[in-house]
Amino acid sequence: VWGDIISKIAEELYKKKAISSPDVKEFTTEEIDNLFGILAWYSIGCNSRSKADRARQLGWKPTGKNPNIFETIGDEVKTVLEKEKSS
C-alpha cells in the first residue's frame, strides 16, 4: 500500500533530520488537482509492471533474493539525501 511506503520514507527522512516530523499528511482531491493537475490521477491510479530487459542486455544479472521494499527504503533515502547534498 502506497500509504505504508510513504510512512516508512517519512520515518527514514525524520531519522536523518531531513524533515521536522515523521507525520504524513493526507491530501484532498482538490489539493492534488491544485498541486499536480488533473494528469496526476493517471499516475496515482495506474498500475504498471516492468522488466529489466535493457539492464539484462547490458549484462546485469539479478542475484540473491528479492528484497522486501521496506528493507530497501533506508538505503534509498540515504542515497537521495547524499545526492542532494552533492548537487
Side-chain angles (χ1 to χ4, degrees):
V1 177
W2 281 111
D4 295 340
I5 294 169
I6 297 303
S7 292
K8 179 66 174 170
I9 292 170
E11 178 185 313
E12 291 296 325
L13 287 168
Y14 180 72
K15 283 183 195 174
K16 294 175 179 15
K17 298 182 177 23
I19 59 176
S20 61
S21 169
D23 298 331
V24 176
K25 178 187 185 289
E26 188 171 320
F27 288 93
T28 66
T29 300
E30 287 138 1
E31 288 172 318
I32 291 172
D33 286 345
N34 289 334
L35 288 169
F36 305 108
I38 191 68
L39 294 179
W41 293 106
Y42 294 103
S43 297
I44 293 170
C46 73
N47 242 345
S48 66
R49 296 181 65 150
S50 60
K51 292 183 179 180
D53 292 337
R54 286 188 178 173
R56 284 185 173 90
Q57 289 171 358
L58 294 170
W60 175 75
K61 293 179 183 156
T63 59
K65 69 175 183 86
N66 291 328
N68 177 310
I69 191 168
F70 294 100
E71 294 171 4
T72 65
I73 289 175
D75 291 336
E76 297 293 334
V77 166
K78 179 182 173 191
T79 299
V80 169
L81 291 175
E82 287 171 354
K83 286 187 178 217
E84 289 282 317
K85 285 182 184 176
S86 66
S87 296

